[in-house]
Amino acid sequence: MARPFLFGTNFKMNQTPTESAEFYRQLAASVQIPSDTHLFVIPPYTSLAAVTVVAGQPPHQIWVGAQNVHWAPEGAYTGEISVGMLLALDVDLVLLGHAERRRYFHEPDVELNRKVLAAVGANLRVLLAVGETAEERSFGVGGETVLRQLKIGLHDVPPEQLGLIQIAYEPVWSIGAGGTPASPEDVEPIARLIRSGCADMFGETRTSGDRGSGGDIPILYGGSVDPSNAGTFTALPDIDGLFVGRAAWTVEGFLATYRAGYEGKSTSR
Ligand code: PEP
């Protein structure tokens, strides 16, 4: 069975609750989502309640994601948010390990692993972001970095919870306003490496019942994606979707980039 196509955006530290809710309302009203596809938006914490009200009762047509979560169920962690708090708002997914969290907030892989396990243990989907810096790439250890982030991040995830995991490959040198767009030739070998890392950890093919395998984990690409290049990344065999920043921060941009990416995948299947 083909892996699903995924497409979504992270608003980072932008938007008020009213703006995020309006974005979601307009997007939901403008899009027909094929059965092989999942769309998602990841607003800031302060917008989550307003967006999930617009999204209505779960299952949500468009997943609503949070940008981070703490690993502990509760306690003396001022400023942090627990998995239970997100689930109480009907949040569908949590982004973990974004390059900005790793860089500015010094989130190490072992802490990210605790967060991944806390989320999947409570049945919350995870989008784990991995990616090498320009410096690591220049020393020829980009692949090692990505595999380390993947293998520590997903350590001990039970096979029956693998269906909750998706990976976003985001080379740090290609994301955000100062980023250099990557080419599909840059992305292809790392996507293949992530795929084989997932297979090493969890096996390649589905074995039985609800137990997932490494071959089932969707891999998204992110970094300076826009409608002009989206389809070139999704045409790659190991890329199952896109995780987009700036180009998807308007409803029109979201739809144009999603459609270009979906078309690239459909024509390559
Ligand atoms: C990101 O920051 O995760 C990202 C993909 O940003 P952009 O698409 O703007 O490069």
Coordinates of all heavy atoms in Angstrom, one line a residue, residues 102-139:
R102 N 16.1 23.2 18.0 CA 17.5 22.6 18.2 C 18.5 23.7 18.4 O 19.4 23.6 19.3 CB 17.9 21.7 17.1 CG 17.0 20.4 16.9 CD 17.5 19.6 15.7 NE 16.6 18.5 15.4 CZ 16.8 17.3 15.9 NH1 17.8 17.0 16.7 NH2 16.0 16.3 15.5
R103 N 18.4 24.8 17.5 CA 19.5 25.8 17.5 C 19.3 26.8 18.7 O 20.3 27.0 19.4 CB 19.4 26.5 16.2 CG 20.5 27.6 16.1 CD 20.5 28.2 14.7 NE 21.4 29.3 14.7 CZ 21.4 30.3 13.8 NH1 20.6 30.2 12.8 NH2 22.2 31.3 13.8
Y104 N 18.1 27.4 18.8 CA 18.0 28.5 19.7 C 17.7 28.0 21.1 O 17.9 28.7 22.1 CB 16.9 29.5 19.3 CG 17.2 30.1 18.0 CD1 16.2 30.0 16.9 CD2 18.4 30.8 17.7 CE1 16.5 30.6 15.7 CE2 18.6 31.4 16.5 CZ 17.7 31.3 15.5 OH 17.9 31.8 14.2
F105 N 17.1 26.8 21.2 CA 16.6 26.3 22.6 C 17.4 25.1 23.0 O 17.0 24.4 23.9 CB 15.1 26.1 22.6 CG 14.4 27.4 22.2 CD1 13.9 27.6 20.9 CD2 14.3 28.5 23.1 CE1 13.3 28.8 20.5 CE2 13.7 29.7 22.7 CZ 13.2 29.8 21.4
H106 N 18.4 24.8 22.2 CA 19.4 23.7 22.5 C 18.7 22.4 22.9 O 19.1 21.7 23.8 CB 20.3 24.2 23.7 CG 20.8 25.6 23.5 ND1 21.6 25.9 22.5 CD2 20.4 26.8 24.1 CE1 21.9 27.2 22.5 NE2 21.1 27.8 23.4
E107 N 17.8 22.0 22.1 CA 17.1 20.7 22.4 C 17.9 19.6 21.9 O 18.1 19.4 20.7 CB 15.7 20.7 21.7 CG 14.7 21.6 22.3 CD 13.3 21.3 22.0 OE1 13.0 20.1 21.6 OE2 12.4 22.1 22.2
P108 N 18.4 18.7 22.8 CA 19.3 17.6 22.3 C 18.4 16.4 21.9 O 17.2 16.3 22.3 CB 20.1 17.3 23.6 CG 19.3 17.8 24.7 CD 18.4 18.9 24.2
D109 N 19.0 15.5 21.2 CA 18.3 14.3 20.7 C 17.7 13.5 21.8 O 16.6 13.0 21.6 CB 19.3 13.5 19.8 CG 19.7 14.2 18.6 OD1 18.9 14.7 17.9 OD2 20.9 14.1 18.3
V110 N 18.4 13.3 22.9 CA 17.8 12.5 23.9 C 16.5 13.1 24.5 O 15.6 12.3 24.9 CB 18.8 12.1 25.1 CG1 19.8 11.1 24.6 CG2 19.5 13.3 25.6
E111 N 16.5 14.4 24.7 CA 15.3 15.0 25.2 C 14.1 14.9 24.1 O 13.0 14.7 24.5 CB 15.5 16.5 25.5 CG 16.1 16.7 26.8 CD 16.2 18.2 27.2 OE1 15.5 19.0 26.5 OE2 17.0 18.5 28.1
L112 N 14.5 15.0 22.9 CA 13.5 14.9 21.8 C 12.9 13.5 21.8 O 11.7 13.2 21.6 CB 14.1 15.2 20.5 CG 14.3 16.7 20.3 CD1 15.2 17.0 19.1 CD2 13.0 17.4 20.1
N113 N 13.8 12.5 22.1 CA 13.3 11.1 22.2 C 12.3 11.0 23.3 O 11.3 10.3 23.2 CB 14.5 10.2 22.4 CG 14.1 8.7 22.6 OD1 14.3 8.1 23.6 ND2 13.4 8.2 21.6
R114 N 12.5 11.6 24.5 CA 11.6 11.5 25.6 C 10.2 12.2 25.2 O 9.2 11.7 25.5 CB 12.1 12.3 26.8 CG 13.4 11.6 27.4 CD 14.0 12.4 28.5 NE 13.3 12.2 29.8 CZ 13.6 12.8 30.9 NH1 14.6 13.6 31.0 NH2 12.9 12.6 32.0
K115 N 10.3 13.2 24.4 CA 9.1 13.9 23.9 C 8.4 13.0 22.9 O 7.1 12.9 23.0 CB 9.5 15.2 23.3 CG 10.0 16.2 24.3 CD 10.4 17.6 23.6 CE 10.9 18.6 24.6 NZ 10.8 19.9 24.1
V116 N 9.1 12.4 22.0 CA 8.5 11.5 21.0 C 7.7 10.4 21.8 O 6.6 10.1 21.5 CB 9.5 10.9 20.1 CG1 9.0 9.8 19.2 CG2 10.1 12.0 19.2
L117 N 8.4 9.8 22.7 CA 7.8 8.6 23.5 C 6.6 9.1 24.3 O 5.6 8.3 24.3 CB 8.8 7.9 24.4 CG 10.0 7.3 23.6 CD1 11.0 6.7 24.6 CD2 9.5 6.2 22.6
A118 N 6.7 10.3 24.9 CA 5.5 10.8 25.6 C 4.3 11.0 24.7 O 3.2 10.6 25.0 CB 5.9 12.1 26.3
A119 N 4.6 11.5 23.5 CA 3.5 11.8 22.5 C 2.9 10.5 22.0 O 1.6 10.3 22.1 CB 4.0 12.7 21.4
V120 N 3.7 9.6 21.5 CA 3.1 8.4 20.9 C 2.5 7.5 21.9 O 1.5 6.9 21.7 CB 4.1 7.6 20.0 CG1 4.6 8.5 18.8 CG2 5.2 7.0 20.8
G121 N 3.0 7.6 23.2 CA 2.4 6.8 24.2 C 1.0 7.2 24.6 O 0.2 6.5 25.1
A122 N 0.7 8.5 24.2 CA -0.7 9.0 24.5 C -1.4 9.1 23.2 O -2.5 9.8 23.1 CB -0.6 10.4 25.1
N123 N -0.9 8.4 22.1 CA -1.6 8.4 20.8 C -1.7 9.7 20.1 O -2.6 10.0 19.3 CB -3.1 7.9 21.1 CG -3.5 6.9 20.1 OD1 -2.6 6.3 19.4 ND2 -4.8 6.7 19.9
L124 N -0.7 10.5 20.3 CA -0.6 11.8 19.6 C 0.4 11.7 18.5 O 1.6 11.2 18.7 CB -0.1 12.9 20.6 CG 0.1 14.3 20.0 CD1 -1.2 14.9 19.5 CD2 0.7 15.3 21.1
R125 N 0.0 12.1 17.3 CA 1.0 12.0 16.1 C 2.2 12.9 16.3 O 2.0 14.0 16.9 CB 0.3 12.4 14.8 CG -0.7 11.5 14.3 CD -1.3 12.0 13.0 NE -2.5 11.3 12.7 CZ -3.7 11.6 13.1 NH1 -3.9 12.7 13.8 NH2 -4.8 10.9 12.8
V126 N 3.3 12.5 15.8 CA 4.6 13.2 15.8 C 5.1 13.5 14.4 O 5.1 12.6 13.6 CB 5.6 12.4 16.6 CG1 7.0 13.0 16.5 CG2 5.2 12.3 18.1
L127 N 5.5 14.7 14.2 CA 6.3 15.1 13.0 C 7.7 15.4 13.5 O 7.9 16.5 14.2 CB 5.7 16.3 12.3 CG 6.4 16.8 11.1 CD1 6.5 15.7 10.0 CD2 5.8 18.0 10.5
L128 N 8.6 14.5 13.4 CA 10.0 14.7 13.9 C 10.8 15.3 12.8 O 11.0 14.7 11.7 CB 10.6 13.4 14.3 CG 12.1 13.5 14.8 CD1 12.2 14.2 16.1 CD2 12.7 12.1 14.9
A129 N 11.4 16.5 13.0 CA 12.2 17.2 12.0 C 13.7 16.9 12.3 O 14.2 16.9 13.4 CB 12.0 18.7 12.1
V130 N 14.4 16.6 11.2 CA 15.8 16.2 11.2 C 16.5 17.0 10.1 O 15.8 17.4 9.1 CB 16.1 14.7 11.0 CG1 15.5 13.9 12.2 CG2 15.5 14.2 9.7
G131 N 17.7 17.3 10.2 CA 18.4 18.0 9.2 C 19.8 18.5 9.6 O 20.0 18.8 10.8
E132 N 20.7 18.5 8.6 CA 22.1 18.9 8.9 C 22.3 20.4 8.7 O 21.7 21.0 7.9 CB 23.1 18.1 8.0 CG 23.2 18.5 6.6 CD 22.1 18.2 5.7 OE1 21.0 17.7 6.1 OE2 22.2 18.5 4.5
T133 N 23.3 20.9 9.4 CA 23.7 22.3 9.2 C 24.6 22.4 8.0 O 25.2 21.4 7.5 CB 24.4 22.9 10.4 OG1 25.7 22.2 10.6 CG2 23.6 22.8 11.7
A134 N 24.8 23.7 7.6 CA 25.7 23.9 6.4 C 27.1 23.5 6.8 O 27.9 22.9 6.0 CB 25.8 25.4 6.1
E135 N 27.5 23.7 8.1 CA 28.9 23.3 8.5 C 29.0 21.8 8.5 O 30.0 21.2 8.0 CB 29.1 23.8 9.9 CG 30.5 23.7 10.4 CD 30.8 24.2 11.8 OE1 29.9 24.0 12.6 OE2 31.8 24.8 12.0
E136 N 28.0 21.1 9.0 CA 28.1 19.6 9.0 C 28.2 19.1 7.5 O 29.0 18.2 7.2 CB 26.9 19.0 9.7 CG 27.0 19.2 11.2 CD 25.7 19.1 11.9 OE1 24.6 19.2 11.3 OE2 25.7 18.8 13.2
R137 N 27.4 19.7 6.7 CA 27.4 19.3 5.3 C 28.8 19.6 4.7 O 29.3 18.8 3.9 CB 26.4 20.2 4.5 CG 26.2 19.8 3.1 CD 25.0 20.6 2.5 NE 24.7 20.1 1.2 CZ 24.7 20.9 0.2 NH1 25.0 22.2 0.3 NH2 24.3 20.4 -1.0
S138 N 29.4 20.7 5.0 CA 30.7 21.1 4.4 C 31.8 20.1 4.9 O 32.8 19.9 4.2 CB 31.1 22.5 4.7 OG 31.5 22.6 6.1
F139 N 31.6 19.5 6.0 CA 32.6 18.5 6.5 C 32.2 17.0 6.0 O 32.9 16.1 6.4 CB 32.7 18.4 8.0 CG 33.5 19.6 8.6 CD1 32.9 20.6 9.3 CD2 34.9 19.7 8.3 CE1 33.7 21.7 9.8 CE2 35.7 20.7 8.8 CZ 35.1 21.7 9.6

